[in-house]
Amino acid sequence: MKILLASKSPRRRELLSQLGYELAFVDIDFDESTVKSTQMPIETTAQTLAHCKAAAYDTSTLDDNTVLVTADTVVALDDKALGKPANRDEAIAMLQSLSSRAHTVYTGVCVRGRTAEKLFTEATQVHFRQLSDGEICYYVDTYRPYDKAGAYGIQEWIGMIGIERIEGDYYNVMGLPVCSLNQALASWSL
Amino acid sequence: MKILLASKSPRRRELLSQLGYELAFVDIDFDESTVKSTQMPIETTAQTLAHCKAAAYDTSTLDDNTVLVTADTVVALDDKALGKPANRDEAIAMLQSLSSRAHTVYTGVCVRGRTAEKLFTEATQVHFRQLSDGEICYYVDTYRPYDKAGAYGIQEWIGMIGIERIEGDYYNVMGLPVCSLNQALASWSL
């Protein structure tokens, strides 16, 4: 079985490459804002985006033994989605809003063959301890988390020193729920 | 503040090095079996071992700005501690016993100055899905987890595809509760 991964995230590429499947990459041009503007519960947004991204690809061209994998991660604080910070001030404000409390990371995954697909969402609770402004500024200026929803990477310094506990799959917070994706691929029949 | 880490574990060395403290390493010769044979609840074993390891070092020789850090990790299945597997059969049997259920990883940490110390334990619940014998044998033969209590590394393939969820600190399962250790160091006064 071959996997065609539609993601530019180096973290997703690295995680998926460790599962041992033959792997190729594809860019899908899809304007996420067309979906994000519609009304839907925050816990289904990631799944819907993963589905739409896959649906924008012509899967009729896939080989018999190839599936397309798309994913989208949403960092949800209460009912508000935190996107990628546009600048330093936004990154700092996001991390301040995550300090001393829990939020939820949803990753929606779509595994799509020629005609059928599996679609699921994995949720992980992440608990930050109180972060000082000094820690937040040091992290933002050193790691520049502008490509990360919620303005942090759990595998980076701020995740190591700031996250007290998680409930769920660690890799889901990195952007790909590896355990459930592997299960979905293992039970996939084309 | 300088840290003297008494651990041969490359994982602990790597995790601690990311906290930004000046770091040195020391070997402490301590026979763990003298402690493990005594009666104590499994959740305090790791802490006691960390303490004893530190107590076996002559901390009166430490600089004013240096602390010794020792740690011990215990993988507990019900009330039984899983040590490092002695051979292939033991590694396979351990992973079979962890399959389809949760266990707890306790890491006890001791931060010790010249005369005083802080001692704490961090617990993380780890939930394995059902592992097939094929997966277990592939992992054991490929990754040779003979230096790992419980016969697995959460950061390796078996952790990525086999662990459905955790509750607690991910890095604690790797062998060092980085978030709480960093807090203990930040609030340390010599």
Side-chain angles (χ1 to χ4, degrees):
Chain A
M1 187 156 154
K2 283 169 55 180
I3 294 176
L4 192 59
L5 175 65
S7 175
K8 287 176 192 134
S9 156
R11 297 170 292 283
R12 287 205 187 105
R13 290 181 175 209
E14 192 200 321
L15 289 172
L16 194 52
S17 72
Q18 294 191 44
L19 292 190
Y21 291 98
E22 190 181 335
L23 201 55
F25 304 101
V26 68
D27 280 344
I28 296 179
D29 207 19
F30 176 73
D31 179 6
E32 298 191 358
S33 66
T34 58
V35 176
K36 277 187 176 154
S37 59
T38 61
Q39 297 291 319
M40 69 180 77
I42 196 161
E43 62 268 27
T44 60
T45 312
Q47 195 177 94
T48 301
L49 278 165
H51 164 80
C52 290
K53 218 183 279 179
Y57 185 85
D58 181 5
T59 46
S60 72
T61 62
L62 290 178
D63 291 343
D64 272 349
N65 63 339
T66 302
V67 291
L68 175 72
V69 172
T70 60
D72 188 77
T73 298
V74 169
V75 176
L77 188 66
D78 303 324
D79 286 336
K80 197 176 148 234
L82 302 183
K84 296 171 184 172
N87 52 46
R88 184 174 188 270
D89 287 350
E90 261 191 47
I92 290 170
M94 272 186 198
L95 288 167
Q96 284 170 335
S97 73
L98 296 175
S99 174
S100 301
R101 49 171 306 186
H103 64 276
T104 305
V105 176
Y106 297 100
T107 299
V109 177
C110 180
V111 181
R112 190 167 169 84
R114 280 194 191 166
T115 54
E117 74 179 34
K118 279 189 189 178
L119 193 59
F120 62 93
T121 302
E122 184 91 14
T124 304
Q125 310 282 329
V126 179
H127 302 250
F128 267 103
R129 65 159 170 81
Q130 187 171 14
L131 303 171
S132 72
D133 286 348
E135 290 169 331
I136 288 174
C137 291
Y138 168 78
Y139 173 69
V140 170
D141 292 334
T142 310
Y143 288 84
R144 306 182 57 78
Y146 302 114
D147 63 334
K148 295 187 176 70
Y152 75 93
I154 191 172
Q155 73 284 2
E156 295 180 342
W157 177 81
I158 196 86
M160 301 179 71
I161 62 110
I163 294 173
E164 288 174 328
R165 61 182 277 110
I166 69 169
E167 286 139 37
D169 183 344
Y170 171 86
Y171 301 106
N172 189 47
V173 186
M174 281 181 70
L176 201 68
V178 180
C179 183
S180 31
L181 173 57
N182 190 59
Q183 293 287 88
L185 292 170
S187 63
W188 179 263
S189 49
L190 290 159
Chain B
M1 187 156 153
K2 282 169 55 180
I3 295 175
L4 193 59
L5 176 65
S7 175
K8 288 177 192 132
S9 156
R11 296 169 293 284
R12 286 204 188 106
R13 291 181 174 208
E14 192 200 322
L15 289 173
L16 194 51
S17 72
Q18 295 191 42
L19 291 191
Y21 292 97
E22 191 180 333
L23 202 55
F25 304 101
V26 67
D27 279 344
I28 296 179
D29 207 20
F30 176 73
D31 180 5
E32 298 191 358
S33 65
T34 57
V35 176
K36 278 190 175 152
S37 58
T38 63
Q39 297 291 320
M40 70 179 78
I42 195 161
E43 62 268 27
T44 61
T45 312
Q47 195 177 94
T48 301
L49 278 166
H51 163 80
C52 290
K53 219 183 279 178
Y57 185 85
D58 181 4
T59 46
S60 72
T61 63
L62 289 178
D63 290 342
D64 272 349
N65 63 339
T66 302
V67 291
L68 175 72
V69 172
T70 60
D72 189 75
T73 298
V74 168
V75 176
L77 188 66
D78 302 324
D79 288 334
K80 198 176 149 235
L82 302 183
K84 296 171 184 174
N87 52 47
R88 183 175 189 271
D89 287 351
E90 262 191 44
I92 289 169
M94 272 187 198
L95 287 167
Q96 284 169 336
S97 73
L98 295 175
S99 173
S100 301
R101 49 169 306 185
H103 64 277
T104 306
V105 177
Y106 298 100
T107 299
V109 177
C110 180
V111 180
R112 192 169 168 82
R114 280 191 188 167
T115 54
E117 74 178 35
K118 279 188 190 178
L119 193 59
F120 62 92
T121 303
E122 184 92 15
T124 304
Q125 311 281 330
V126 179
H127 301 250
F128 267 102
R129 65 160 170 79
Q130 187 170 15
L131 302 171
S132 72
D133 287 348
E135 290 169 331
I136 289 173
C137 291
Y138 168 78
Y139 173 70
V140 170
D141 292 336
T142 310
Y143 289 84
R144 306 181 57 78
Y146 302 114
D147 63 334
K148 294 187 176 69
Y152 75 92
I154 191 172
Q155 73 284 4
E156 294 180 342
W157 177 81
I158 196 87
M160 301 179 70
I161 63 110
I163 293 173
E164 288 174 328
R165 62 183 275 111
I166 69 168
E167 286 139 38
D169 183 345
Y170 171 86
Y171 301 106
N172 188 47
V173 186
M174 280 182 73
L176 200 69
V178 180
C179 182
S180 32
L181 173 56
N182 189 59
Q183 292 289 86
L185 293 170
S187 64
W188 179 263
S189 50
L190 289 158

